[in-house]
Amino acid sequence: MITVQLLLILFLFGSSEAGKLLVIPSDGSHWIGMKPIVEELGRRGNQVVVVIPEASMSMGPSEHTTTLTYPVPYTKAEVEEDLANQLNNILSIDMSSDLARFQTFFISLDLLQMFIVRSAESLLFNKHLMKKLKDYNFDAILTDPFEPVGVIVGEYLSIPAIYMQINLPCGVDSLASKCPSPSSYVPQPLTHFTNQMSFWQRSVNMVRTLLQPMACRHLFTHADEIASRLLQRKTSVVAIMNRAALWFMRFDFAFEFPRPVMPNMVMIGGMATKKTKPLSQLKLESCWLFHQMAVAGLG
């Protein structure tokens, strides 16, 4: 409740009531959807600090914000090549049967496992930058838990966390928030089922639902190790996310089935930047890659 009030203050009032907001986004379409909100908060006089890696596909300095970067052991070209290879591996799989889609679900977890923590240690164990973030005394953190580095930073700084979430294969939003997800009419990702399932499809969907906790543990294995090392206590990403103050669910209502939500979950729909510019060939190719990633259930 306190975080909801804080966010309303950040939007409604000017610099006399300005707050301090830390933003740690994820790359690609995740950042594109978050950027308009971040820039608007900065435009209204709030102190907004965005932390991004030096090598990124789409992230960079934004208007009305302070941008901090940190070095990472990869280049932009390597990120794009790695993403393209991962997508090609998934798209080359024949998903004509339920069994094949079931196997693809676990393959996608393996592919995502390293991708989501590729820059985690570079930020979390950067003592100079972490101390600088602590000295800011932020009021809250806005982050996309697709890459859990922001989740861990928020816990380390002991500040309220606001998550802007897009679907992950293991349904971490439902697990972490203890939100009901009835397998009888909420199809799992990568099943290609609708809300009108046959008995066989409902059975497959039930198995996938029961496997969600195990799938999340597998997906966040490395992230859990990093979080425990930084916080110097045994913990997990899912346990940290359970303490979220607010969830912004970036779901497109045209493609989502009705489902339960918790009181601290707000459906905000798909969001994009307001300014439209002609896309370069490189950006068109990147958009195509992220579209294919979304179709495969990875975005």
Side-chain angles (χ1 to χ4, degrees):
M1 187 63 184
I2 294 176
T3 307
V4 176
Q5 294 172 346
L6 170 65
L7 201 62
L8 289 174
I9 289 172
L10 292 178
F11 270 113
L12 297 177
F13 296 96
S15 58
S16 61
E17 298 287 345
K20 296 181 180 179
L21 181 68
L22 172 62
V23 178
I24 300 183
S26 294
D27 212 344
S29 60
H30 300 262
W31 169 235
I32 292 173
M34 182 184 288
K35 188 176 180 180
I37 293 178
V38 172
E39 292 187 338
E40 181 63 19
L41 288 170
R43 189 188 68 80
R44 299 192 182 198
N46 302 288
Q47 186 176 8
V48 180
V49 178
V50 183
V51 180
I52 60 175
E54 289 181 350
S56 166
M57 292 184 293
S58 62
M59 295 186 291
S62 50
E63 297 177 356
H64 313 296
T65 67
T66 300
T67 301
L68 302 179
T69 62
Y70 56 94
V72 288
Y74 55 79
T75 65
K76 178 181 178 180
E78 289 172 343
V79 174
E80 292 176 340
E81 181 181 0
D82 185 48
L83 178 60
N85 290 336
Q86 290 180 3
L87 288 173
N88 288 334
N89 287 338
I90 291 178
L91 295 174
S92 64
I93 300 172
D94 179 13
M95 293 194 291
S96 58
S97 68
D98 291 334
L99 178 60
R101 288 192 287 268
F102 198 81
Q103 292 173 331
T104 304
F105 168 67
F106 288 100
I107 294 172
S108 67
L109 294 178
D110 289 333
L111 293 176
L112 277 174
Q113 191 179 63
M114 294 304 299
F115 184 81
I116 64 177
V117 294
R118 68 190 189 283
S119 62
E121 291 184 291
S122 299
L123 170 58
L124 297 172
F125 297 103
N126 186 324
K127 294 183 179 179
H128 173 73
L129 181 54
M130 292 295 284
K131 182 181 183 304
K132 190 173 183 177
L133 296 179
K134 200 164 190 175
D135 291 342
Y136 269 105
N137 292 317
F138 290 108
D139 297 308
I141 180 173
L142 174 65
T143 187
D144 187 328
F146 179 78
E147 295 181 50
V149 58
V151 174
I152 301 171
V153 169
E155 182 74 3
Y156 177 79
L157 298 178
S158 299
I159 54 178
I162 305 167
Y163 298 146
M164 187 169 287
Q165 168 76 23
I166 301 177
N167 270 328
L168 275 174
C170 72
V172 67
D173 54 310
S174 297
L175 291 174
S177 63
K178 309 297 184 183
C179 181
S181 181
S183 58
S184 58
Y185 69 89
V186 179
Q188 291 294 316
L190 296 180
T191 59
H192 296 189
F193 296 158
T194 69
N195 60 336
Q196 297 181 346
M197 293 177 274
S198 65
F199 177 76
W200 166 253
Q201 291 173 334
R202 290 181 190 276
S203 300
V204 173
N205 204 56
M206 171 66 78
V207 172
R208 280 284 308 276
T209 302
L210 294 174
L211 287 175
Q212 277 190 328
M214 183 186 71
C216 269
R217 284 195 298 270
H218 178 70
L219 178 62
F220 294 118
T221 296
H222 298 309
D224 291 347
E225 293 172 357
I226 294 171
S228 299
R229 192 157 26 113
L230 177 73
L231 301 173
Q232 297 184 348
R233 68 175 189 271
K234 185 68 174 178
T235 189
S236 69
V237 171
V238 175
I240 296 173
M241 291 173 68
N242 177 250
R243 295 186 281 277
L246 187 64
W247 294 76
F248 283 154
M249 313 304 288
R250 271 191 61 207
F251 295 156
D252 191 321
F253 303 110
F255 297 101
E256 292 294 321
F257 296 106
R259 65 176 192 170
V261 294
M262 299 300 281
N264 64 340
M265 288 181 166
V266 181
M267 295 286 188
I268 62 175
M271 301 184 69
T273 55
K274 295 180 180 179
K275 299 178 181 179
T276 57
K277 299 179 180 179
L279 294 177
S280 65
Q281 184 62 32
L282 177 60
K283 289 184 178 179
L284 284 171
E285 292 173 356
S286 298
C287 289
W288 181 85
L289 285 174
F290 278 105
H291 171 71
Q292 296 302 316
M293 191 175 185
V295 170
L298 302 178

